[in-house]
Amino acid sequence: MKPEYRKFLNKSGIIAHDKQHLHKIVKAIDTYDHAVERMIHQQFNDWQEARQKAAQIKEYVLDNLPELLETFEKNISAKGTKVLWAENSKEAQHHFLAIAKKHQVKKVVKMKSMTTEEISFNEMCEENGIEYWESDLGELIVQLAGEKPYHIVTPAMHKTTAEISQLFHEKLGSPITDDAEQLTMVARDHLRSAFITADLGITGANFLLAEEGAIGLTENEGNGRLTMSCPRVHVVIAGIEKVIPNLTQLAFFLPLLATIGTGQEITCYNSIVWGPRKNDEQDGPENMYVILLDNGRTKLYSDERFRSILRCIRCGACLNACPVYQVIGGHTYNTTYQGPVGSVITPHLRDMDQWAHLPFASSLCGSCSDVCPGHRSCWPPLHRLIRRIETVAGSGPRADFW
Ligand code: SF4
């Protein structure tokens, strides 16, 4: 049995019997389900048609991916942003460290970004003596707890207010409280100094706008805006599949992502970043870089059987819908991307041999396909991709699970 598979079985065997954990997750997902259900009806006349349109736009993107990326690079470079291409995590780390060295970076502030998780950004900073602070509240909580994000959208979903209060008390010296707003103020006070003193801000990108040569970012706390505008250097690390043709698609995707991701009409802060500060501007970073990350994506792109998973907009809905995720929780996967989407992409982004057990942690019930905005009408449904990975992985360990 492969080490990762053994770890997975051990962890899932323990967590599946943890009633407190189950209670926390079911409560969080119930809240999410109600908010999404309400918003879908409030915001869209025909939600299924909206999902279908999302899948079709993303399919268009995949059909034209090389051209769109070239257009993006040309247009954002023209505004003074340097574009770097990274074939894998190691190359992305190499680019970042070269930027950090050139600009004498000692301290970094981070916006929530799964792509930085993918390249082990935090571990790289620790190894190279670079101080870093997560600026997203959920990410800050897991950083202080010494954990990885539990969920791709809500990284601290598994923590109660009491647990966060205790954590802040121990790590930041704040008084114990059951007032969530007071805890938010503790994080805010702590982060203000990080924004002001950081040399570099790092973000991901929810979308790359090809025609405009710009970055689209969506968030709820405003921490992203401070991350990208206060420090003198802004670095973006984005997967190559994040490109879309132009602002018209952004106007469609922002409310769709807010609806299915968090049950909101629109997220609180939506930014379009056009480049570094111009000569006649008073604020913004002096230098801006975009690192375009492949890290196994072209391998997925060239495999017709799995290419459609690149339609994913990282909304997290398939995790919330998955009955297996609800029972074993996010940390059991030990991957950047958990749940159904993670089970399809992780074996491709990392190593098929080590991670071939992931697709077997699925009931194949199709709940993920029912909610995914990237797999409506455009064949294949998400759970079919999971089944296909099982086929690639061989007869596999399904019998061990069920
Ligand atoms: S696979 Fe679909 S449901 Fe899952 S995160 Fe991606 S877009 Fe959302």
Side-chain angles (χ1 to χ4, degrees):
M1 190 184 288
K2 304 283 179 197
E4 280 300 335
Y5 176 34
R6 186 184 299 281
K7 271 195 254 171
F8 182 91
L9 280 183
N10 289 342
K11 275 197 206 169
S12 51
I14 295 166
I15 201 90
H17 293 95
D18 183 339
K19 284 191 183 154
Q20 269 189 337
H21 171 265
L22 187 62
H23 178 72
K24 283 189 271 187
I25 301 314
V26 167
K27 192 173 164 211
I29 292 178
D30 272 357
T31 308
Y32 162 87
D33 283 344
H34 285 120
V36 169
E37 185 67 19
R38 195 184 63 240
M39 193 49 62
I40 279 175
H41 289 109
Q42 184 180 314
Q43 180 139 253
F44 293 91
N45 287 334
D46 189 335
W47 172 241
Q48 298 311 330
E49 198 182 313
R51 285 178 63 208
Q52 187 167 342
K53 186 174 170 190
Q56 284 167 347
I57 294 172
K58 290 297 283 187
E59 196 55 28
Y60 171 84
V61 164
L62 293 179
D63 286 343
N64 297 278
L65 190 60
E67 297 81 9
L68 286 169
L69 285 168
E70 277 171 28
T71 306
F72 170 77
E73 181 181 24
K74 180 164 77 74
N75 291 337
I76 199 164
S77 300
K79 298 195 200 83
T81 296
K82 186 152 178 55
V83 176
L84 300 156
W85 297 77
E87 196 180 328
N88 49 40
S89 300
K90 215 170 154 193
E91 202 174 349
Q93 287 192 357
H94 175 78
H95 285 322
F96 178 82
L97 289 172
I99 294 166
K101 190 172 174 196
K102 181 176 175 191
H103 296 285
Q104 299 177 324
V105 171
K106 301 265 183 303
K107 187 170 180 177
V108 171
V109 68
K110 281 182 70 192
M111 185 184 177
K112 181 182 176 322
S113 151
M114 297 316 292
T115 324
T116 56
E117 290 294 331
E118 201 180 313
I119 68 159
S120 304
F121 181 86
N122 297 359
E123 292 80 355
M124 174 196 68
C125 284
E126 280 158 23
E127 282 163 19
N128 288 275
I130 298 172
E131 183 183 346
Y132 69 93
W133 283 105
E134 299 283 358
S135 66
D136 172 86
L137 180 56
E139 291 283 354
L140 177 67
I141 292 165
V142 291
Q143 180 184 6
L144 291 173
E147 296 175 5
K148 290 283 185 189
Y150 183 92
H151 186 285
I152 61 173
V153 175
T154 43
M157 183 195 216
H158 59 306
K159 298 273 190 219
T160 61
T161 307
E163 287 167 340
I164 295 164
S165 176
Q166 183 63 34
L167 182 70
F168 281 10
H169 176 66
E170 286 167 18
K171 303 285 179 172
L172 303 176
S174 59
I176 296 287
T177 176
D178 58 3
D179 183 346
E181 198 174 324
Q182 201 178 324
L183 290 169
T184 308
M185 294 313 289
V186 171
R188 180 189 158 106
D189 282 350
H190 169 74
L191 286 169
R192 286 286 144 161
S193 74
F195 289 127
I196 291 163
T197 55
D199 306 298
L200 183 149
I202 188 154
T203 70
N206 295 101
F207 300 97
L208 305 169
L209 308 178
E211 282 173 28
E212 290 80 8
I215 310 293
L217 285 156
T218 180
E219 47 148 347
N220 271 316
E221 297 168 13
N223 61 302
R225 284 206 178 155
L226 292 166
T227 299
M228 64 183 102
S229 58
C230 290
R232 53 194 164 82
V233 185
H234 177 199
V235 176
V236 179
I237 300 190
I240 54 173
E241 82 285 12
K242 291 293 179 83
V243 72
I244 54 174
N246 57 43
L247 275 170
T248 307
Q249 287 81 38
L250 186 71
F252 169 73
F253 272 120
L254 286 179
L256 179 122
L257 184 53
T259 298
I260 191 68
T262 49
Q264 291 171 278
E265 192 172 357
I266 191 83
T267 35
C268 299
Y269 296 86
N270 295 286
S271 306
I272 300 171
V273 186
W274 302 91
R277 176 200 304 191
K278 293 192 194 124
N279 289 338
D280 60 345
E281 290 175 339
Q282 294 199 338
D283 49 23
E286 293 157 21
N287 293 279
M288 184 169 160
Y289 299 84
V290 176
I291 300 174
L292 291 173
L293 182 67
D294 182 328
N295 206 29
R297 287 165 173 80
T298 49
K299 201 164 68 179
L300 270 169
Y301 184 75
S302 55
D303 190 332
E304 279 297 324
R305 295 169 301 175
F306 300 109
R307 195 178 92 149
S308 66
I309 196 63
L310 293 172
R311 294 182 208 146
C312 174
I313 56 169
R314 305 286 190 265
C315 69
C318 59
L319 282 65
N320 299 333
C322 177
V324 177
Y325 180 91
Q326 289 182 19
V327 173
I328 65 172
H331 285 153
T332 303
Y333 295 87
N334 199 24
T335 56
T336 303
Y337 307 103
Q338 312 90 357
V341 61
S343 296
V344 178
I345 60 177
T346 306
H348 288 93
L349 300 193
R350 292 192 182 177
D351 173 79
M352 183 63 77
D353 205 34
Q354 278 295 330
W355 300 93
H357 59 281
L358 290 178
F360 295 93
S362 166
S363 64
L364 297 176
C365 64
S367 298
C368 53
S369 304
D370 290 343
V371 295
C372 177
H375 288 84
R376 167 70 189 169
S377 295
C378 292
W379 185 260
L382 188 49
H383 67 290
R384 283 283 176 161
L385 295 181
I386 295 174
R387 190 74 187 94
R388 279 183 192 172
I389 297 246
E390 286 188 3
T391 317
V392 172
S395 57
R398 184 164 286 279
D400 295 347
F401 280 105
W402 313 116

